[in-house]
Amino acid sequence: MNQNDNRKETLEFNKLQKRLRRNVGNAIIDYNMIEENDVVMACISGGKDSFAMLDILLNLKKAAPINFEVVAVNLDQKQPGFPEHILPEYFESLNIPYYIVDKDTYSVVKEKIEEGKTTCGLCSRLRRGTLYSFAEKIGATKIALGHHLDDIVETMFLNMFHGSRLKAMPPKLRSDDGRNVVIRPLTYCREKDLIKYAEHKAFPIIPCNLCGSQENLQRQSIKAMLIDWDKKTPGRVDSIFKSIQNISPSQLADKNLFDFVNLPLDREGERAEYAFNEAEISSTNIDESMFIDVTNV
């Protein structure tokens, strides 16, 4: 690689880094994700997304106008073959506070779920419960997860196609009992940017060794669909995400979000301006005297 190529690569990476940091910063501001004196528990799985999230949060912490702490936490679920030394060594190289939490959820799931059945629901509940309780134990006020914009859109379609629910992942979520708040700082970040970022930063990524479960296979199918859409119509995934931020309950069909039952007719007030004036009648067999003269209403 010659000097010009090196310069071009450096320039492209600087643009990418600024874009990611700007996106994370905007998401934090838009949803008030991190506040003064927060202790942010950054959940690190060993994948590119959580590594990038931690890296960006640590850099933003240096320049942020507020004070907050970042604590890295990895939940070791005792999945066979998981390289236990990689994350502690990486955290030590950054000289940051961290915890490796051991919880053998793998054995519990294998014991409870029949072979061939999807394990995702139980695995997710066990993981979430462990992280929630540990956040309380260490005094963490926010739990940061590495889900990005593509994850959010994929989850929406996953719920639509396989759960008949219009539901995604919120940028910020309070647990049902109100004891924990989950944040997703990468909400505005695209996965393709995170892939490039991880490659340049050479994170010690732990290969994903998920179980090939039903939900994972369904997600991969939806991911392929969205990639195809984005290739044919660039910007489509971004538009879908923006639609999640611009919801009109009265234009959907959820009776709990909008009162479709009680919509009384009311012609007493001033009429809104319509796109066209009154239509002209060309033929009728009805006595026109039956019509109300709305011009005098």
Side-chain angles (χ1 to χ4, degrees):
M1 185 179 291
N2 60 39
Q3 192 172 6
N4 286 335
D5 289 336
N6 280 329
R7 268 195 210 132
K8 183 178 179 182
E9 184 178 328
T10 300
L11 181 61
E12 289 301 315
F13 174 73
N14 287 338
K15 288 180 180 178
L16 172 64
Q17 184 168 247
K18 287 179 182 177
R19 180 163 65 249
L20 287 172
R21 290 182 182 178
R22 181 175 63 250
N23 287 341
V24 171
N26 286 341
I28 289 173
I29 292 171
D30 287 351
Y31 295 96
N32 194 30
M33 291 184 183
I34 300 177
E35 301 168 83
E36 182 72 27
N37 296 323
D38 263 341
V39 176
V40 180
M41 188 175 93
C43 299
I44 312 303
S45 65
K48 68 181 188 312
D49 305 324
S50 59
F51 273 128
M53 178 187 71
L54 176 63
D55 185 82
I56 295 169
L57 284 177
L58 291 174
N59 278 283
L60 288 178
K61 179 179 180 297
K62 297 174 184 176
I66 61 172
N67 296 309
F68 66 93
E69 298 299 324
V70 177
V71 180
V73 172
N74 167 251
L75 175 58
D76 185 349
Q77 297 178 265
K78 298 306 175 184
Q79 192 169 350
F82 187 82
E84 298 179 355
H85 65 285
I86 290 180
L87 290 173
E89 290 176 0
Y90 179 70
F91 297 147
E92 291 284 356
S93 73
L94 296 178
N95 192 30
I96 61 170
Y98 75 92
Y99 293 96
I100 304 296
V101 181
D102 294 330
K103 188 74 171 181
D104 189 0
T105 61
Y106 179 83
S107 296
V108 175
V109 169
K110 286 297 182 183
E111 179 186 341
K112 299 285 187 183
I113 305 296
E114 293 179 32
E115 194 68 32
K117 299 289 185 179
T118 181
T119 61
C120 298
L122 177 59
C123 184
S124 177
R125 288 194 299 275
L126 292 172
R127 186 171 61 248
R128 182 168 59 245
T130 302
L131 292 173
Y132 279 4
S133 61
F134 191 72
E136 288 193 58
K137 183 177 180 180
I138 65 173
T141 53
K142 302 288 170 59
I143 301 172
L145 303 180
H147 299 121
H148 46 68
L149 185 149
D150 296 75
D151 285 327
I152 293 171
V153 173
E154 288 165 16
T155 300
M156 184 183 73
F157 281 104
L158 192 64
N159 283 318
M160 287 173 64
F161 294 170
H162 302 286
S164 299
R165 301 186 70 186
L166 191 55
K167 171 185 173 184
M169 293 175 175
K172 186 178 180 182
L173 171 72
R174 191 176 72 161
S175 61
D176 292 340
D177 61 8
R179 299 177 70 90
N180 285 286
V181 172
V182 173
I183 60 173
R184 295 182 168 95
L186 301 182
T187 287
Y188 293 163
C189 300
R190 293 300 308 270
E191 183 174 25
K192 57 189 176 184
D193 285 343
L194 294 168
I195 291 172
K196 293 177 184 175
Y197 191 72
E199 289 174 350
H200 193 280
K201 299 287 285 189
F203 296 132
I205 294 173
I206 299 173
C208 182
N209 188 29
L210 293 175
C211 54
S213 63
Q214 182 182 4
E215 181 179 328
N216 188 46
L217 294 174
Q218 291 168 347
R219 184 176 287 276
Q220 293 307 313
S221 175
I222 289 171
K223 182 186 288 288
M225 177 190 76
L226 293 173
I227 289 174
D228 184 56
W229 283 1
D230 230 12
K231 282 181 180 177
K232 292 178 179 176
T233 311
R236 174 164 288 184
V237 173
D238 292 292
S239 295
I240 294 171
F241 176 77
K242 288 177 183 176
S243 73
I244 299 174
Q245 296 178 296
N246 293 283
I247 298 172
S248 300
S250 66
Q251 307 304 303
L252 297 175
D254 191 328
K255 300 189 297 293
N256 295 317
L257 290 181
F258 187 81
D259 187 3
F260 292 99
V261 175
N262 299 299
L263 288 177
L265 190 67
D266 181 7
R267 288 176 173 165
E268 295 300 320
E270 185 176 348
R271 189 177 76 175
E273 184 177 348
Y274 296 154
F276 295 97
N277 291 326
E278 299 301 324
E280 294 182 3
I281 299 171
S282 61
S283 177
T284 183
N285 66 352
I286 298 175
D287 185 348
E288 290 187 16
S289 65
M290 295 174 61
F291 288 101
I292 300 173
D293 184 2
V294 295
T295 59
N296 294 323
V297 174

